[in-house]
């Protein structure tokens, strides 16, 4: 598979193409919200407690919002997401969506419980996403799957977001 989103059929005027593109952006909403939260935090509170706020924002948005976005994408738009990963749609989408949604809800709610709770959320997110990233790499190597949501930006985020969040947490707790 090339990773291209299937085009809508004749007479549909691209109706399927636009929603698929929008849905494909849901996992990146957390990154955008994190950046906005950082700008707002600095504008409102300054940099006095920036490490704490940044770590909290990472849990809330890089884990929480991203997980919820991934959950919505896999649960409600599973066939389109599967195709964008280069996979055949199947029941796995529901399970992946449920796991993502659970991690996202834990991130959003846990973001308000303090650094000790954050670590648990960070570890669950890290294990899930890093192993998902390893799965994407296996697909690239074994099946030459270069679909956009297998070998594209999502692959980088699978490793980067949980490692950045863990790094922030370690920096916060060790400083």
């Amino acid at each position: 598979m090339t990773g291209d989103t299937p085009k809508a059929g004749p007479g549909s005027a691209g109706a399927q193409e636009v929603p698929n593109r929008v849905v494909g952006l849901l996992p990146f909403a957390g990154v955008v919200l994190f950046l906005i939260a950082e700008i707002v935090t600095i504008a409102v509170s300054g940099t006095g407690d920036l490490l704490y706020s940044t770590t909290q924002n990472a849990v809330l948005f890089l884990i929480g919002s991203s997980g919820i976005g991934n959950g919505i994408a896999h649960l409600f738009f599973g066939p389109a997401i599967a195709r964008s990963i280069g996979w055949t749609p199947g029941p796995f989408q529901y399970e992946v969506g449920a796991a993502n949604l659970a991690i996202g809800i834990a991130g959003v709610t846990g973001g308000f419980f303090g650094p000790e709770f954050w670590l648990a959320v960070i570890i669950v997110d890290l294990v899930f996403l890093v192993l998902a990233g390893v799965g994407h790499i296996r697909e690239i190597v074994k099946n030459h799957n270069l679909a956009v949501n297998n070998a594209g930006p999502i692959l980088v985020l699978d490793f980067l977001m949980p490692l950045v969040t863990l790094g922030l947490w370690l920096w916060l707790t060790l400083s």
Side-chain angles (χ1 to χ4, degrees):
M1 294 202 133
T2 64
D4 294 334
T5 303
K7 305 291 184 228
S12 62
Q16 193 73 352
E17 186 177 346
V18 173
N20 287 349
R21 285 187 184 158
V22 172
V23 169
L25 295 176
L26 283 173
F28 301 96
V31 175
V32 172
L33 291 172
F34 171 76
L35 295 172
I36 291 169
E38 286 299 291
I39 291 167
V40 169
T41 297
I42 292 169
V44 172
S45 304
T47 59
D49 204 9
L50 188 59
L51 182 56
Y52 184 93
S53 298
T54 298
T55 307
Q56 182 178 33
N57 286 337
V59 172
L60 287 169
F61 300 110
L62 295 181
I63 295 175
S65 294
S66 290
I68 290 171
N70 281 322
I72 290 169
H74 284 280
L75 285 169
F76 297 105
F77 307 98
I81 294 301
R83 285 188 295 273
S84 76
I85 300 170
W87 295 346
T88 303
F92 74 91
Q93 290 296 122
Y94 187 81
E95 294 176 10
V96 170
N100 273 299
L101 187 61
I103 293 167
I105 290 170
V108 169
T109 58
F112 298 101
F113 286 104
E116 295 81 16
F117 190 87
W118 299 348
L119 179 60
V121 174
I122 291 167
I123 289 170
V124 170
D125 185 60
L126 182 122
V127 170
F128 180 75
L129 288 181
V130 167
L131 290 177
V134 168
H136 289 300
I137 291 171
R138 288 177 62 198
E139 279 288 302
I140 293 167
V141 172
K142 289 174 111 177
N143 299 318
H144 308 289
N145 180 351
L146 299 176
V148 67
N149 280 333
N150 189 65
I154 199 75
L155 175 60
V156 174
L157 291 182
D158 279 348
F159 292 101
L160 189 61
M161 288 191 317
L163 292 173
V164 164
T165 306
L166 178 62
L168 285 167
W169 186 87
L170 288 169
W171 187 12
L172 175 68
T173 57
L174 296 175
S175 62

